[in-house]
DNA sequence: TGAACATATGAACAGATGCTCATATACTAA
DNA sequence: TTAGTATATGAGCATCTGTTCATATGTTCA
């Protein structure tokens, strides 16, 4: 058991975040990023590893333009970043909270689906 | 924002969920529920405990009508449920994944805000 | 250079969304 | 019953969003 004296109670931190409008707004932004089917697929694919635009396009079954537009949005929100490799542009996650969120979201969804099917 | 890649070990369950369109769609629905400022505030408030509509209205600083419309949406998606208590209707979370998601979302937002302010 | 490939972007449009306003419903107390 | 309080809901509207289409930019190789 930790004996650190300068840590904050997790719940106290939680409460403090909720009172900060900017933080709450920022939180809604990451959920918004995950709320679209195409973007969710992009981010999920990137959980496994970096991918080029065309690889993402193939996995998400949408046009190259649609993928690029969504990647721009995700880049603007700081959730992914890109590096060029020859003709290709490789995207990667820049925030590992995304992975946790996707995991919890899928667990929720799987349970919801299981209850539905009973 | 960090430029390191955040990848995850291939996880069988995780991968299997991602291949199920219904599960992926359902996951985007819960993120969508959390993507709106008013709904996020409602769900955050309910993390602490059940609340009546008027209590929620006071905390979220929106009209009674707006709260009711959003509660309906959250009810329809199975994220909250209601019980009547006299004149009041008390709402509560029906899924504790929501609490985890809000917590991780806030942590992400707090870090993003911290980096921003550097 | 020029052709081929890969990615980005602006404009425009259809559909979705969240709010307000007015009103309906539900419950309580007199 | 009637008035008062609490909540729900339908319609309408302004705004936002995700896509498509056309085109621009960037890179490689002959």
């Amino acid at each position: 058991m930790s004996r650190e004296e300068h840590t904050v109670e997790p719940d106290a931190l939680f409460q403090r975040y909720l009172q900060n409008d900017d933080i709450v707004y920022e939180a809604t932004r990451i959920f918004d990023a995950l709320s679209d089917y195409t973007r969710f697929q992009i981010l999920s694919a990137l959980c496994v590893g970096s991918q080029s635009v065309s690889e993402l396009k193939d996995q998400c079954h949408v046009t190259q333009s649609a993928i690029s537009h969504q990647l721009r949005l995700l880049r603007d929100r700081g959730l992914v970043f890109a590096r060029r490799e020859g003709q290709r542009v490789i995207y990667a996650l820049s925030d590992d909270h995304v992975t946790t969120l996707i995991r919890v979201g899928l667990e929720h969804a799987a349970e919801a689906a299981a209850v539905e099917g009973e």
Side-chain angles (χ1 to χ4, degrees), chain A:
Chain A
M1 190 62 68
S2 147
R3 291 266 158 192
E4 295 167 65
E5 293 180 8
H6 303 290
T7 55
V8 180
E9 282 288 316
D11 282 341
L13 203 59
F14 187 72
Q15 297 294 337
R16 186 139 48 86
Y17 289 160
L18 283 174
Q19 279 158 13
N20 184 324
D21 284 353
D22 293 337
I23 289 184
V24 169
Y25 178 73
E26 179 65 25
T28 64
R29 297 299 274 174
I30 196 177
F31 290 121
D32 182 71
L34 287 158
S35 71
D36 173 73
Y37 198 88
T38 300
R39 286 194 298 269
F40 185 91
Q41 287 189 112
I42 292 174
L43 293 169
S44 301
L46 295 179
C47 283
V48 180
S50 334
Q51 313 262 349
S52 70
V53 176
S54 44
E55 285 172 319
L56 290 169
K57 184 195 69 152
D58 293 342
Q59 290 179 65
C60 301
H61 307 105
V62 290
T63 65
Q64 176 268 317
S65 179
I67 285 279
S68 270
H69 278 297
Q70 296 296 9
L71 283 170
R72 181 154 131 89
L73 182 150
L74 295 173
R75 238 176 11 202
D76 289 348
R77 295 197 190 172
L79 297 179
V80 304
F81 66 96
R83 67 171 193 278
R84 191 171 266 282
E85 224 174 61
Q87 282 177 299
R88 309 240 162 161
V89 176
I90 313 294
Y91 280 81
L93 288 187
S94 49
D95 187 322
D96 54 357
H97 287 114
V98 170
T99 306
T100 306
L101 289 172
I102 288 177
R103 190 179 292 269
V104 177
L106 287 173
E107 279 164 14
H108 158 83
E111 285 182 24
V115 170
E116 192 77 15
E118 268 167 12

